[in-house]
Amino acid sequence: MARRGGFGGGNMNQMMKQVQQMQKKMQDAQQKIEETEYTSSINGGVVEISANGKKEILSIKIDKEIVDPEDVEMLEDMIVTAVNEVIKKVEEDASEKMGALTGGLNIPGMF
């Protein structure tokens, strides 16, 4: 009598191939996210922040018209707001792209 594999033999091999394919797709998506440049601007573009998908700030542009030595706090607040906004964009894009691959499963450490 032929002996069957404990987990269905061929089905296990097929499942492993599917897992490997999903891992590859997730790695590719993560790399694409990391290479993407995200930009956030506030108050009509007076402060603009660019970051990559690794959440590294690439550039900060400030319209010289808003630089007021008497109100540095306002400029600081706008920079903080723009940085937080661009990081939120990165996280939302990563969550959307990775969620599409995982079917909405929350895999710890992925994003």
Side-chain angles (χ1 to χ4, degrees):
M1 198 171 224
R3 187 170 170 214
R4 294 184 178 195
F7 290 105
N11 289 340
M12 185 62 149
N13 289 337
Q14 182 64 27
M15 189 169 73
M16 289 304 292
K17 285 181 184 179
Q18 289 175 341
V19 168
Q20 289 171 343
Q21 288 172 348
M22 178 176 269
Q23 284 177 326
K24 174 72 171 126
K25 287 179 182 178
M26 291 174 75
Q27 288 172 343
D28 291 346
Q30 186 66 37
Q31 182 175 355
K32 185 175 181 178
I33 291 165
E34 289 176 359
E35 294 171 351
T36 300
E37 185 172 325
Y38 301 84
T39 301
S40 173
S41 64
I42 60 167
N43 290 3
V46 295
V47 174
E48 183 177 288
I49 307 284
S50 292
N52 62 23
K54 296 178 190 177
K55 301 178 191 172
E56 298 169 335
I57 302 301
L58 301 174
S59 68
I60 298 175
K61 295 179 183 174
I62 301 169
D63 185 337
K64 62 184 173 188
E65 300 287 322
I66 66 153
V67 179
D68 179 0
E70 302 297 319
D71 195 4
V72 174
E73 189 175 315
M74 179 188 70
L75 179 57
E76 292 170 342
D77 289 345
M78 284 193 285
I79 292 170
V80 168
T81 300
V83 167
N84 288 334
E85 189 175 302
V86 79
I87 289 172
K88 184 178 177 183
K89 284 183 179 183
V90 172
E91 290 173 347
E92 287 173 350
D93 189 48
S95 180
E96 180 182 312
K97 287 179 178 164
M98 299 305 274
L101 291 173
T102 63
L105 293 176
N106 185 9
I107 301 173
M110 285 306 298
F111 30 82

